[in-house]
Amino acid sequence: MIARDDVRDVLIIGSGATGALSAMVLAQAGLDVICLEQGGWIERKDFVHSHTDWSWQRQTNWNPDVNRRLHADGYPVHSDSSQVLMWNGVGGSTNAYGAIWPRYRPSDFRKGDEHGLQPNWPISYEEIAPFYERVDRIVGVSGLCGDPAMPPREECPTGPLPFGLAAQRLAKAFDKLGWHWWPVEAGVISRDYDGRPACNGCGMCNGCPRGSMSLFSQSVWPKALAAGAELKTHARVLRIETGADGRASGAIWKNRITGAEERTRARVVIVAANGVGTPRLLLASDNLANSSGHVGRNLLHHTLVGAQIWVDEPVNAQMGYIASLFSREFAETDISRGFVNGFNFNCLTSTPSPGEMAAGWLTNTRAPWGAGHHDWIASRFGHSIGFFAIGDDLPSPDNRVFLNDEATDEDGVPVISMHYEPGENDRRMMNFMLDRMVDVADAAGAFDVALQDYRDESGVYRTPAWHMIGTCRMGDDPEDSVVNGWHQSWDVPNMFIVDGSVLATGGVVNPTPTISALALRASEYIRDNFAELSYTTKTIPK
Amino acid sequence: MNKTSNIVAHHRPNLLVEALADLVGELIPGNEEWPSGRDVGVQYSLQLRFIEEKGDASLPALTAALVAIGAPFGNLDGAARLEAVQNLEASEPKLFGWRRDAAYFAYYATPGVIEVINGRGTPLHARPHLNGYDLPPFDRATQTPTHGRGHWIPTEAVARVDVSTLELGRRITTAWGMKR
């Protein structure tokens, strides 16, 4: 064991979007910040985007599914249901995400009031709204303000991305149905911004080595490092340590280069290891911060189904940013539909690869082999549009991540297991979503439509789970939540959780904008209260 | 693998690639516009990717499976070749699916095939990320929505809904998703 005598001001565990923001805020305030990251830097040349076989590598080496990619920087997650999509390394999953950038709605924070099947958040939309704006400026979000289906917002830092033929086709379909639509907001810059080049419309939007899509390794970490933050890569945290006073004293971690175990001590510990990694670490640290029993529970993925349509006229949706528009027609609860909560349509463009399309992109609809193959691809590539419906799933304590008693990883940490099963409300919502997708296909004049419910041949729902949230949720009540409204552990007063695990509900949107805004807010709270947090032994409700 | 195929595999080091060439020629046949999978060399990519995915030790079994359906097809006529591949698909659908998909990926990454797609009027770059596509910028004058549709509920206006009529605990939806 290599132990250092010095005590750092702040130890951050995980260097993804939220760890990056925390490091930037706290280092810029002059605090002594160290961040431990189990993976390494992903250099531009490491991305597959410039390889001739990039489409194949997106299935293998660049597959965001940790159990498909099997990269040494990652760790296995035993899942009996969901596909586990994430990336371990500097910048975290922003290295491979799609950066669709919508916000929560005010009602998402008040589901306890609305129906009581989910908790209220301890904060409101109005409290987070300024942080949305500020994160958008950091990221350079593109989009169009003025959406009547959302609270007013400032002008997006960069204007809307090109509105291609697929977007225009879907917009007309929504008009025909009398449904809402609006150009997509994206964590992708539509003009040169903050030293990064504008999106060139390549369509390969799972990560972006040119940096047009905000990879936090390129947009935020340089600022944190310039401010003096120390980023230690290949440092896999094994457990968080606590003292007799109940405060976190630091962490034991493995140096993956030397193999040595090291100890880092800190006055404040921030956990930013995502909705799987954070509960795993807490559970592996003698069930830390879990007096509520909620660590790892209430896993939310969103209620997700997909569709692909094909139209006669070329839409050439192989070009351009992966997403085109939102429809928020069904975002709010309407009991007459037979369920609570709502959903959005996240409308895409299409795959940039004819190979991916032939092999069943999005809906597993494959080109036939043999005589009909070329006619199939000729009529479909350049004629395809994809879209998702993404809904607010209800929490269940049985949907969770938990330590596997029988298996450990190469560093001796118990392997994490995951279980997720849609509940009754979610199943009803999915049926409604799929029916509405057929409505969209009809209105768009599609000659064919294929649906995707993510159920396998045994009926198990195997959603592609980018969104792994809720597993350390925030709340007003220590018995029903893991952290308070400032992300502060109820049990360990100098430990904060800033990643997506704290989200109390999932909303109807991709969560990274909300996670980022919350992390910015929490980091500023830590900055502004650092002196007190350096000695306090009690967490009070927010 | 039976004894005969062992002997054949041992004495014909190119047997596997010959058999794969015949297979991809059936999966992706050529015509006057499109090259066949065989013509653009999909068999070579397929062989390497099979090794990467399944391991070197899996090659004899792959060879044996192809030999078992009569590959290389030699003088087999078109109908017999089609039947052979259909038999392979039926006998091991999962592995067949992997080979088919891998063949598709390799085929459409080939410069000659990308050229055909461009020639049909569908823009496609082999490596789009390098230079992207030239797309017209968003036109605020004509593309900003004017429909005026959409609503949201302010925080203070969130009202209680009666969920008792939903009977979420009593009425169980067993048929959900695409199979209803």
Side-chain angles (χ1 to χ4, degrees):
Chain A
M1 171 76 70
I2 300 172
R4 301 182 192 283
D5 293 332
D6 57 324
V7 179
R8 315 297 293 262
D9 286 337
V10 180
L11 164 63
I12 301 170
I13 300 169
S15 73
T18 58
L21 287 165
S22 292
M24 182 184 74
V25 168
L26 297 168
Q28 287 176 343
L31 294 172
D32 174 24
V33 176
I34 182 171
C35 177
L36 301 178
E37 165 55 53
Q38 64 186 318
W41 284 93
I42 294 90
E43 306 288 345
R44 284 188 168 89
K45 62 181 171 48
D46 296 330
F47 287 76
V48 300
H49 294 55
S50 61
H51 297 195
T52 54
D53 62 346
W54 56 269
S55 61
W56 174 253
Q57 292 209 44
R58 297 210 310 182
Q59 317 302 312
T60 53
N61 300 332
W62 202 256
N63 195 319
D65 186 332
V66 292
N67 295 313
R68 285 280 295 148
R69 188 171 71 254
L70 297 176
H71 193 280
D73 285 354
Y75 55 89
V77 181
H78 291 179
S79 172
D80 64 359
S81 44
S82 319
Q83 303 172 56
V84 183
L85 311 185
M86 63 175 167
W87 200 279
N88 298 115
V90 179
S93 294
T94 68
N95 284 294
Y97 74 157
I100 299 175
W101 208 263
R103 297 178 178 184
Y104 274 38
R105 319 166 63 74
S107 60
D108 292 329
F109 297 86
R110 288 291 174 267
K111 292 297 177 181
D113 292 342
E114 184 183 282
H115 52 63
L117 301 173
Q118 290 161 290
N120 276 345
W121 288 57
I123 63 174
S124 66
Y125 177 86
E126 288 71 24
E127 289 175 86
I128 191 178
F131 296 94
Y132 275 132
E133 301 293 352
R134 291 172 53 200
V135 163
D136 282 7
R137 288 195 288 275
I138 293 169
V139 167
V141 167
S142 57
L144 185 67
C145 67
D147 184 349
M150 290 294 291
R153 57 156 300 155
E154 294 177 9
E155 190 74 55
C156 290
T158 71
L161 290 161
F163 201 66
L165 295 174
Q168 295 170 37
R169 183 88 181 212
L170 285 179
K172 285 180 182 172
F174 286 116
D175 281 339
K176 189 173 179 181
L177 291 163
W179 293 355
H180 167 273
W181 63 270
W182 199 260
V184 71
E185 292 154 310
V188 175
I189 51 180
S190 59
R191 61 174 173 82
D192 294 356
Y193 186 86
D194 194 24
R196 295 182 283 128
C199 173
N200 67 2
C202 77
M204 298 170 62
C205 307
N206 59 331
C208 176
R210 60 189 268 119
S212 306
M213 175 186 290
S214 181
L215 310 186
F216 281 58
S217 55
Q218 295 184 22
S219 58
V220 179
W221 265 112
K223 296 180 175 67
L225 295 174
E230 180 185 357
L231 173 56
K232 195 87 177 170
T233 61
H234 302 93
R236 177 166 284 154
V237 175
L238 305 178
R239 61 188 176 276
I240 296 169
E241 294 187 309
T242 53
D245 56 2
R247 291 169 51 83
S249 55
I252 302 292
W253 52 280
K254 180 175 180 180
N255 185 322
R256 294 180 53 225
I257 305 296
T258 66
E261 284 194 10
E262 303 195 26
R263 169 179 285 129
T264 295
R265 301 165 65 200
R267 295 178 178 84
V268 169
V269 174
I270 296 175
V271 191
N274 88 22
V276 174
T278 290
R280 182 196 192 201
L281 182 57
L282 299 183
L283 294 170
S285 302
D286 293 330
N287 206 27
L288 187 65
N290 196 20
S291 63
S292 67
H294 280 289
V295 170
R297 296 190 183 273
N298 309 305
L299 172 67
L300 303 170
H301 285 325
H302 286 117
T303 303
L304 185 75
V305 294
Q308 187 178 14
I309 64 174
W310 292 269
V311 295
D312 286 326
E313 298 80 6
V315 290
N316 286 328
Q318 71 277 12
M319 304 187 293
Y321 175 58
I322 185 64
S324 57
L325 56 86
F326 300 126
S327 173
R328 296 182 162 111
E329 180 68 24
F330 301 99
E332 299 284 1
T333 289
D334 179 346
I335 287 290
S336 70
R337 298 178 197 139
F339 52 87
V340 297
N341 293 347
F343 63 92
N344 275 358
F345 288 116
N346 274 6
C347 298
L348 307 179
T349 43
S350 189
T351 168
S353 157
E356 284 184 352
M357 176 165 291
W361 178 76
L362 187 57
T363 60
N364 295 329
T365 305
R366 288 179 165 80
W369 62 267
H373 182 83
H374 298 302
D375 287 344
W376 191 95
I377 205 77
S379 65
R380 297 192 180 233
F381 187 69
H383 299 258
S384 151
I385 309 171
F387 54 109
F388 291 112
I390 172 173
D392 187 7
D393 47 344
L394 292 183
S396 163
D398 295 329
N399 288 338
R400 62 182 183 126
V401 294
F402 54 99
L403 296 184
N404 187 320
D405 295 332
E406 299 173 355
T408 58
D409 67 13
E410 62 187 19
D411 299 318
V413 180
V415 167
I416 195 82
S417 295
M418 176 185 289
H419 171 77
Y420 180 88
E421 185 176 353
E424 172 62 22
N425 193 73
D426 309 323
R427 295 193 293 267
R428 293 186 193 182
M429 186 190 291
M430 278 194 264
N431 283 348
F432 186 89
M433 290 166 153
L434 290 164
D435 292 345
R436 299 296 77 75
M437 289 178 140
V438 174
D439 293 341
V440 175
D442 290 344
F447 71 78
D448 195 9
V449 56
L451 301 176
Q452 172 62 277
D453 62 8
Y454 294 110
R455 299 187 74 186
D456 68 10
E457 58 274 10
S458 303
V460 176
Y461 183 62
R462 296 193 182 279
T463 185
W466 278 110
H467 308 160
M468 298 179 290
I469 56 182
T471 49
C472 293
R473 69 185 183 188
M474 66 163 63
D476 283 322
D477 183 352
E479 293 187 0
D480 194 42
S481 58
V482 179
V483 297
N484 70 7
W486 292 114
H487 301 237
Q488 185 178 15
S489 162
W490 290 113
D491 302 343
V492 186
N494 65 330
M495 187 178 78
F496 289 75
I497 300 172
V498 299
D499 56 54
S501 60
V502 302
L503 302 188
T505 62
V508 295
V509 292
N510 311 63
T512 304
T514 301
I515 293 169
S516 300
L518 286 169
L520 183 62
R521 175 179 170 273
S523 301
E524 293 190 355
Y525 175 83
I526 295 167
R527 177 196 66 193
D528 296 343
N529 296 275
F530 182 75
E532 182 183 343
L533 293 170
S534 297
Y535 62 81
T536 187
T537 56
K538 187 176 182 185
T539 297
I540 58 173
K542 179 286 186 176
Chain B
M1 192 187 304
N2 62 36
K3 188 175 178 183
T4 304
S5 58
N6 255 323
I7 293 169
V8 172
H10 180 72
H11 290 289
R12 290 182 59 183
N14 289 328
L15 176 62
L16 175 57
V17 80
E18 291 170 19
L20 284 173
D22 281 353
L23 174 65
V24 300
E26 292 302 309
L27 294 177
I28 311 173
N31 59 28
E32 59 279 2
E33 185 178 17
W34 298 86
S36 72
R38 178 189 189 117
D39 289 342
V40 299
V42 165
Q43 60 272 22
Y44 302 108
S45 296
L46 197 54
Q47 185 181 26
L48 296 179
R49 287 174 183 171
F50 196 86
I51 292 171
E52 289 173 0
E53 182 85 6
K54 314 290 182 186
D56 301 68
S58 64
L59 288 184
L62 173 62
T63 307
L66 294 172
V67 167
I69 63 163
F73 293 140
N75 294 327
L76 289 183
D77 64 20
R81 290 175 181 225
L82 178 63
E83 183 180 357
V85 179
Q86 287 172 334
N87 288 339
L88 183 65
E89 182 177 28
S91 65
E92 45 180 31
K94 196 167 181 179
L95 191 54
F96 180 88
W98 184 91
R99 293 177 198 140
R100 176 202 57 218
D101 290 352
Y104 289 169
F105 278 103
Y107 181 75
Y108 287 106
T110 305
V113 176
I114 292 170
E115 192 177 323
V116 171
I117 292 173
N118 276 287
R120 295 180 55 82
T122 306
L124 181 66
H125 299 333
R127 296 186 293 165
H129 191 69
L130 297 184
N131 297 308
Y133 293 103
D134 189 17
L135 300 170
F138 187 89
D139 183 345
R140 287 178 184 265
T142 63
Q143 294 180 320
T144 297
T146 56
H147 54 64
R149 292 187 293 269
H151 76 289
W152 55 279
I153 301 172
T155 299
E156 64 278 9
V158 173
R160 194 75 172 182
V161 297
D162 179 9
V163 298
S164 64
T165 56
L166 297 178
E167 299 183 308
L168 289 170
R170 271 182 8 98
R171 288 196 290 121
I172 304 303
T173 302
T174 55
W176 60 283
M178 288 153 58
K179 293 180 181 173
R180 281 182 273 160

